[in-house]
Amino acid sequence: MSDLHEELRDNVRMLGECLGQTIAKHRGQDFLDRIESIRQLSKSGRSDTDSDHSELLAALSSLSEDEVLPVARAFTQFLNLANIAEEHHKARQHTEFCNLDSDESYAQLVKQLSAQGIPSEQIINTLVQMDVDLVLTAHPTEVNRRTLIQKYDAITDCLRVLDRDESQYHRLQELISQVWHTNEIRKIRPTPLDEAKWGFTVIENSLWEAVPKFLKHLDSQTRALLKQPLPLHCAPVRFSSWMGGDRDGNPNVTSTITREVLNLSRWMAADLYLRDIDALRAELSMHQCSAALRERVGDEAEPYRAILGELRDQLKVTQRWLEADLNQQPHDTQCPISLSEQLLEPLLLCHQSLLDCGMDIIAEGPLEDTIRRVACFGVTLTKLDIRQSSDRHAQVFEELSQFYGLGSYSAWTEEGRQAFLIKELQSQRPLIPHHWTPSDEVQEVLDTCRVVAQADPASLGSYVISMAGQPSDVLSVILLLKEMGITHNMRVVPLFETLADLDNARSCIDSLLSLPWYKQYTQGHQEVMIGYSDSSKDAGQLAAVWGQYRAQEALTALCQQHQTRLTLFHGRGGTVGRGGGPSHTAILAQPPGSVDRSIRVTEQGEMIRFKFGIPDLAVRSLELYAGAVLKASLAPAPAPLDHWRDAMDTLAAAGLQSYRGIVREDPQFVPYFRAVTPEQELTKLPLGSRPAKRKASGGVESLRAIPWIFAWTQIRLMLPAWLGSDTALQGAAAQNKLALLQEMYSQWPFFASYVDMLEMVLAKTDTSISAYYESRLVSEELKVLGSSLRARRDSAIEMVLKIKDQQQLLNAHPNIRQSIEVRNPYIDPLHFLQAELLHRDRNQPDQRLEQALMVTMAGISAGMRNTG
């Protein structure tokens, strides 16, 4: 292991030297020396606990306006290169040690389950039945442009080649020079179509290779340990997407965009399969085949190439059909390949023929890889979810009720709405009148439902309703889809986001499942989405995580009573403040019974690249997901003891009061937040296609959870992740309950996961940095609040150390601590530069410095990793 860490240091040093040589060549050695001097001052400032960073600040203040941007770019690109080296190091670790029985390995898990008396048949059946759906979303936390990501991927490829002792130094120098001469910041926001294409690129460049590798490893382990193969049709992990379907608060996602993305996804799938088929035709040149294959192809001398040639031709026609549909040109009414079975049938025929003829080793090669890809990706690559806010659907029925003279839909009781919707759902006549001109917003909702109704059911995931709170929110969507002509029962999923909605989730679903018509519609399967981002923003992290846990417990018990299978959809973000953290730990911390072979989880922003951007890392991430769901399904953690539950009720109530007491009730809070963070300037950073606010005129309450957390991360206070936890934990300790907290930490996975995530985010905070922002940007009368918040952060750290009985944060995770420490000397100059640039921008706006300000945001984001 020490050799691997030395290799990481060597890679970071080498990439840094390449960047330094590029800078020296194009800016001069003197400029590079200044950057090195700034880095050394930053490093020494960190090592000296009494340092006030005065020398570093003096060096930064001496920069001319023409030097500020290249200095910011230099430190930003070093952090990006360090990230590349670290991700490559993780992939290398996985390759080196994948055969060892680590606690998280699939092999070790199967041994543990077998030791607990769980039969092999039950383990394999559970694995086959598992449905882990990773939903790729385009939330604006990925600050890097797609062209830069491609260059970073190429740098990673160079590091792989270097591991084989092959020279790549010149190519590295070339790529890093390309990076240096490419603007980090987009000039315009990406469109939803751009975001969808980025998602397809992740699949093409990484997951297309990783998925069969993951399944092959799972198969070999299952054969060795359970004496059974993993069936070829088995794909425990699949992928869906929100890119091009998530229109909640994003006017740029239209019905036209959704239609284009659905077709592009299928076109991309056909294109990837075409490449596979061409490669297979080159390999499968054998003449011997089974009677079944011979009957299919006749006297062909190369039967496998013949049948694969037919499939290739069908795929090409499919692409042309999709292109015509995209361009709204005339085409045949039926797409040649629209079902996975149409792809699988000739592939499986070839596979069985090879087995029948004793060519097992050939059958198990690339042909099996393609078959397993079909099992995972189907013919649509991903399934597209649709998301829209409940008020947009209610607006449709408000305008309809006014048109028909039925009064105001919004004024009806919930019971009245349900009765009306159920009656219309059972009616044989249309509800939407022919001669009716709705508002543009309502027309867009109807157009979206029409696109969904006309789409191939295999290309669709769920229709998610944000800000859902009542059964009518769900029934209204089903009725709109019916009116637009949908032919299958699409999953319509309420998203419970606020703490109040989470507490009401059981009542809402109980009312729905008690409706005979709706119960029949579900066909025995109910999906519910749990919102992490907005519940944390609404109630604070502590109250939110407990509200999420209790909602899942209640929904699990309720669906069992209704004899309905429940799938929980976790809207987790990249940060702790939005439900982020190690996925396997989070899954194992869920209430017992809530993960019963199925789970959906959002993967978003930069976390998609960090988890799935490199094939070897993607394989590891898929293994962790599959293993965690298998364990949570077969050997879940026990339910919490009653006194633990009572303690959490008390902690959550105290945390909620403390959090809202600051965020909602302190009149100084909003002015302080707006002054000390770059929240207002973030709108200038063209991160994603979605606006930063749901309402352009709204205040903090309308700010999306992503920029809310992004802003606090930029100044290293990370307030949303710990505010409220500090006073709640302190209060428990003051009541002599520290021993109880320690007991909960050691014996309850849910509480342990919460404390560990709190520890990780606190380790990334730095009150000297946030204090500097305050000194430059905040008026005197608001500084009292800042001082109080920093003191509360210190109290939170003190409580975590007491609960974990340790002297410093991240004792058990020295690699994470070292990663933070190594990055700090490169992030610190960006923080100080950003504070100065914010001060200048607010007092004497200068467009020349605006680019530098945005680069500092990107650099800090790169250094902090899970930023939004």
Side-chain angles (χ1 to χ4, degrees):
M1 186 71 78
S2 60
D3 290 342
L4 277 176
H5 285 303
E6 187 60 41
E7 289 173 357
L8 171 59
R9 284 192 289 271
D10 289 345
N11 283 166
V12 172
R13 191 180 303 115
M14 176 182 59
L15 294 176
E17 288 173 357
C18 286
L19 178 61
Q21 289 171 17
T22 297
I23 293 171
K25 180 177 180 180
H26 295 280
R27 296 286 311 191
Q29 185 62 42
D30 289 347
F31 184 77
L32 178 62
D33 291 342
R34 293 193 71 181
I35 290 175
E36 178 58 21
S37 173
I38 290 170
R39 187 186 73 84
Q40 289 295 343
L41 289 171
S42 181
K43 190 174 181 180
S44 62
R46 280 278 170 181
S47 60
D48 182 359
T49 54
D50 296 325
S51 172
D52 60 358
H53 297 288
S54 57
E55 290 186 78
L56 173 60
L57 290 169
L60 291 172
S61 64
S62 70
L63 295 172
S64 69
E65 291 191 350
D66 291 334
E67 291 175 322
V68 170
L69 177 57
V71 167
R73 295 189 68 233
F75 283 99
T76 293
Q77 289 306 340
F78 180 85
L79 289 164
N80 280 315
L81 294 174
N83 286 346
I84 293 169
E86 193 168 281
E87 295 304 321
H88 174 65
H89 173 62
K90 289 178 183 176
R92 186 164 48 199
Q93 278 184 306
H94 173 59
T95 302
E96 292 282 334
F97 300 107
C98 64
N99 293 322
L100 298 181
D101 283 352
S102 69
D103 290 340
E104 296 168 355
S105 74
Y106 173 69
Q108 187 64 21
L109 171 60
V110 170
K111 291 175 183 177
Q112 292 171 0
L113 294 173
S114 298
Q116 293 175 35
I118 299 173
S120 297
E121 197 68 30
Q122 187 177 357
I123 297 173
I124 192 74
N125 285 343
T126 303
L127 192 62
V128 170
Q129 295 166 11
M130 267 171 36
D131 184 12
V132 181
D133 192 358
L134 304 183
V135 185
L136 308 179
T137 73
H139 287 292
T141 54
E142 175 56 84
V143 296
N144 287 301
R145 296 174 59 197
R146 189 162 57 151
T147 184
L148 281 174
I149 291 172
Q150 290 167 346
K151 298 181 195 307
Y152 296 153
D153 289 344
I155 291 172
T156 300
D157 290 339
C158 286
L159 294 179
R160 286 183 188 169
V161 175
L162 279 169
D163 287 344
R164 300 196 295 268
D165 295 324
E166 298 175 28
S167 176
Q168 284 289 293
Y169 195 79
H170 185 272
R171 176 60 174 159
L172 273 175
Q173 192 70 63
E174 178 188 352
L175 287 166
I176 290 173
S177 184
Q178 289 178 16
V179 167
W180 178 253
H181 291 287
T182 301
N183 285 333
E184 293 90 343
I185 308 300
R186 305 177 183 96
K187 294 298 183 184
I188 56 174
R189 287 185 179 275
T191 67
L193 209 56
D194 293 331
E195 292 171 333
K197 288 176 181 177
W198 178 79
F200 300 154
T201 300
V202 173
I203 294 176
E204 177 185 7
N205 292 346
S206 178
L207 289 170
W208 199 253
E209 175 186 339
V211 163
K213 188 181 290 187
F214 153 67
L215 291 171
K216 190 166 284 187
H217 182 251
L218 212 59
D219 177 52
S220 65
Q221 294 287 311
T222 303
R223 288 174 187 268
L225 297 165
L226 301 176
K227 312 305 178 188
Q228 291 188 54
L230 188 73
L232 283 174
H233 69 270
C234 176
V237 184
R238 291 184 173 90
F239 297 91
S240 293
S241 174
W242 276 14
M243 302 179 196
D246 179 13
R247 61 230 321 115
D248 177 26
N250 189 349
N252 299 310
V253 180
T254 64
S255 57
T256 301
I257 288 289
T258 296
R259 182 175 165 276
E260 287 181 6
V261 169
L262 285 166
N263 276 334
L264 279 174
S265 185
R266 291 180 63 183
W267 188 95
M268 190 68 204
D271 195 60
L272 290 170
Y273 286 125
L274 267 172
R275 298 180 212 176
D276 273 17
I277 298 305
D278 284 341
L280 286 173
R281 290 188 79 245
E283 293 209 354
L284 300 184
S285 55
M286 296 68 64
H287 61 86
Q288 187 181 2
C289 69
S290 65
L293 180 53
R294 179 59 64 191
E295 182 180 352
R296 176 75 169 270
V297 299
D299 296 331
E300 293 285 347
E302 295 177 320
Y304 301 95
R305 284 179 170 173
I307 192 171
L308 290 174
E310 293 174 7
L311 182 55
R312 179 189 60 183
D313 293 342
Q314 286 183 305
L315 285 167
K316 287 183 176 180
V317 174
T318 298
Q319 279 193 308
R320 289 196 293 271
W321 187 96
L322 290 165
E323 288 163 6
D325 198 61
L326 271 169
N327 297 321
Q328 297 185 314
Q329 296 171 346
H331 54 73
D332 295 336
T333 55
Q334 187 66 40
C335 181
I337 295 182
S338 58
L339 299 172
S340 297
E341 289 74 16
Q342 292 171 283
L343 271 177
L344 282 173
E345 189 270 333
L347 295 172
L348 290 173
L349 184 58
C350 290
H351 186 268
Q352 189 59 51
S353 175
L354 290 169
L355 293 179
D356 291 346
C357 296
M359 294 182 276
D360 302 44
I361 192 170
I362 300 174
E364 293 165 0
L367 177 59
E368 273 196 8
D369 289 347
T370 300
I371 292 170
R372 293 199 184 277
R373 286 183 182 117
V374 177
C376 177
F377 297 109
V379 295
T380 62
L381 209 60
T382 64
K383 290 180 180 291
L384 185 67
D385 276 10
I386 307 298
R387 184 168 77 136
Q388 182 58 280
S389 178
S390 59
D391 61 353
R392 294 293 300 276
H393 308 125
Q395 185 182 350
V396 178
F397 290 99
E398 176 64 25
E399 293 189 17
L400 269 175
S401 63
Q402 298 281 3
F403 177 83
Y404 281 124
L406 300 175
S408 172
Y409 178 82
S410 60
W412 295 354
T413 64
E414 173 61 20
E415 291 74 16
R417 292 187 191 189
Q418 288 182 38
F420 169 79
L421 295 168
I422 289 291
K423 180 181 177 182
E424 292 298 329
L425 281 163
Q426 294 174 318
S427 172
Q428 296 301 310
R429 60 160 175 75
L431 171 65
I432 307 293
H434 290 297
H435 305 293
W436 177 49
T437 306
S439 66
D440 290 345
E441 286 189 334
V442 165
Q443 188 62 57
E444 179 56 40
V445 172
L446 296 175
D447 290 344
T448 295
C449 290
R450 184 174 290 107
V451 167
V452 171
Q454 292 172 352
D456 183 346
S459 66
L460 297 169
S462 302
Y463 193 122
V464 178
I465 311 164
S466 58
M467 290 300 170
Q470 302 295 338
S472 60
D473 293 332
V474 175
L475 297 173
S476 61
V477 171
I478 300 174
L479 178 54
L480 290 174
L481 292 173
K482 169 181 174 281
E483 286 297 311
M484 293 301 109
I486 199 166
T487 57
H488 73 289
N489 289 7
M490 186 178 186
R491 298 193 308 270
V492 177
V493 179
L495 164 54
F496 299 108
E497 299 184 76
T498 66
L499 186 60
D501 284 342
L502 286 169
D503 289 341
N504 187 53
R506 184 194 184 283
S507 174
C508 179
I509 299 301
D510 188 25
S511 296
L512 275 169
L513 292 175
S514 298
L515 295 169
W517 185 92
Y518 179 79
K519 180 75 174 288
Q520 185 178 16
Y521 177 89
T522 66
Q523 299 173 321
H525 180 208
Q526 176 66 53
E527 184 177 318
V528 175
M529 186 169 183
I530 303 294
Y532 286 71
S533 305
D534 283 290
S535 59
S536 295
K537 180 171 171 285
D538 169 51
Q541 179 71 358
L542 176 56
V545 295
W546 184 231
Q548 293 151 12
Y549 189 94
R550 285 186 290 114
Q552 291 175 67
E553 271 191 323
L555 290 167
T556 300
L558 173 73
C559 286
Q560 288 172 352
Q561 292 171 20
H562 282 279
Q563 297 181 314
T564 298
R565 184 167 63 89
L566 173 67
T567 294
L568 286 166
F569 184 2
H570 299 263
R572 296 163 56 83
T575 60
V576 175
R578 299 187 55 240
S583 303
H584 64 284
T585 303
I587 291 170
L588 295 174
Q590 301 307 311
S594 64
V595 183
D596 182 12
R597 294 161 294 167
S598 70
I599 192 171
R600 302 189 84 209
V601 183
T602 53
E603 293 287 2
Q604 61 186 248
E606 81 277 22
M607 300 311 295
I608 294 175
R609 187 158 56 91
F610 294 154
K611 288 184 179 181
F612 304 109
I614 300 172
D616 286 341
L617 275 184
V619 170
R620 177 61 174 155
S621 297
L622 295 173
E623 287 176 351
L624 286 172
Y625 264 118
V629 172
L630 184 64
K631 183 175 182 179
S633 299
L634 291 175
L641 301 177
D642 287 344
H643 65 286
W644 296 350
R645 193 183 297 276
D646 293 341
M648 273 307 303
D649 285 338
T650 303
L651 286 170
L656 176 65
Q657 182 179 7
S658 175
Y659 176 86
R660 287 183 175 170
I662 293 290
V663 174
R664 290 192 181 184
E665 297 167 16
D666 190 324
Q668 289 191 323
F669 179 76
V670 172
Y672 180 81
F673 166 63
R674 292 241 156 96
V676 78
T677 74
E679 177 258 331
Q680 296 175 84
E681 290 77 11
L682 277 172
T683 58
K684 300 174 184 177
L685 194 59
L687 291 173
S689 67
R690 196 166 68 175
K693 291 183 178 179
R694 286 188 166 88
K695 296 178 182 177
S697 59
V700 171
E701 76 285 347
S702 71
L703 192 71
R704 292 190 177 279
I706 294 166
W708 161 249
I709 291 178
F710 198 112
W712 288 110
T713 303
Q714 290 283 305
I715 71 164
R716 295 292 284 274
L717 195 56
M718 319 288 276
L719 179 134
W722 58 261
L723 184 64
S725 297
D726 56 320
T727 51
L729 295 173
Q730 268 190 320
Q735 296 174 6
N736 299 316
K737 292 182 178 178
L738 179 60
L740 172 60
L741 297 177
Q742 291 172 332
E743 173 191 313
M744 291 161 65
Y745 177 77
S746 64
Q747 298 180 36
W748 188 12
F750 162 78
F751 191 72
S753 174
Y754 156 70
V755 173
D756 286 345
M757 292 301 98
L758 183 59
E759 176 189 33
M760 188 270 285
V761 78
L762 286 168
K764 291 188 173 186
T765 60
D766 190 315
T767 50
S768 67
I769 295 292
S770 53
Y772 182 75
Y773 278 84
E774 182 182 286
S775 70
R776 293 298 290 146
L777 303 170
V778 176
S779 61
E780 287 299 324
E781 62 268 21
L782 295 176
K783 288 183 179 178
V784 175
L785 176 59
S787 177
S788 168
L789 292 175
R790 291 192 294 277
R792 292 183 61 166
R793 169 267 194 185
D794 293 342
S795 298
I797 291 177
E798 180 186 356
M799 285 310 305
V800 167
L801 294 176
K802 285 182 178 178
I803 292 170
K804 299 192 72 168
D805 192 21
Q806 59 190 38
Q807 298 303 309
Q808 64 174 342
L809 295 175
L810 298 175
N811 250 9
H813 303 282
N815 290 347
I816 298 177
R817 188 173 70 245
Q818 183 186 31
S819 177
I820 295 170
E821 291 170 353
V822 165
R823 282 173 167 77
N824 279 334
Y826 297 91
I827 307 177
D828 288 355
L830 293 172
H831 283 302
F832 294 127
L833 271 177
Q834 185 181 92
E836 181 60 33
L837 290 167
L838 286 169
H839 177 77
R840 294 190 200 178
D841 190 56
R842 292 173 184 180
N843 290 283
Q844 289 183 316
D846 185 339
Q847 205 165 19
R848 290 178 301 168
L849 298 177
E850 199 168 278
Q851 180 81 0
L853 176 57
M854 289 192 284
V855 170
T856 64
M857 293 180 191
I860 293 167
S861 173
M864 298 297 289
R865 304 298 295 270
N866 47 349
T867 56

